[in-house]
Amino acid sequence: MDESPDFSEEQFERQLREKRLAGEIAEAFVLQYEIERLSLDGHKVEAACVNRISKHRLNAGYDINSFNGKSLRLEHDRFIEVKGSGSTTIRFIWSTNEMRR
């Protein structure tokens, strides 16, 4: 984010909207990827249980609940933190909470 002295509230809000949009697009892409990956591997039930937790638990430390493959108890064992960018130069913060997962 631009931290110059003349950085206005309007500029900040615009950048925040852009970052949210990039995150939404990236999470939708990863969600679809995971569903297709599991479906193609023959894990249809697991594919149907992949979900985007970021909409319900902002502090989970990850965005997508998924599976590595077959799950007898349908317990998620793949926790995906998604980062997106609308720029060719990528810079992001990886929080301690995200690293724990």
Side-chain angles (χ1 to χ4, degrees):
M1 217 179 265
D2 184 358
E3 296 178 8
S4 64
D6 59 348
F7 191 65
S8 70
E9 184 176 348
E10 183 179 305
Q11 289 170 307
F12 174 77
E13 288 175 2
R14 186 183 75 247
Q15 283 192 1
L16 188 56
R17 281 191 305 274
E18 290 171 0
K19 286 181 183 225
R20 282 187 179 144
L21 179 59
E24 293 277 334
I25 292 168
E27 286 182 20
F29 177 83
V30 171
L31 181 69
Q32 188 60 40
Y33 175 85
E34 283 296 295
I35 291 169
E36 289 177 14
R37 178 185 64 81
L38 288 163
S39 293
L40 289 171
D41 285 346
H43 308 300
K44 305 277 187 205
V45 174
E46 289 82 358
C49 295
V50 173
N51 69 332
R52 189 172 165 189
I53 195 168
S54 63
K55 289 296 185 185
H56 310 287
R57 287 185 55 211
L58 294 175
N59 64 341
Y62 58 94
D63 301 306
I64 308 286
N65 275 329
S66 189
F67 302 91
N68 288 319
K70 181 81 176 150
S71 176
L72 298 176
R73 295 184 188 158
L74 289 179
E75 293 176 356
H76 295 106
D77 58 1
R78 188 178 194 129
F79 309 98
I80 305 167
E81 172 59 21
V82 178
K83 300 292 187 185
S85 176
S87 174
T88 55
T89 55
I90 300 172
R91 179 179 165 197
F92 62 88
I93 296 171
W94 197 15
S95 73
T96 302
N97 192 32
E98 292 167 343
M99 287 186 261
R100 276 190 211 119
R101 267 321 209 165

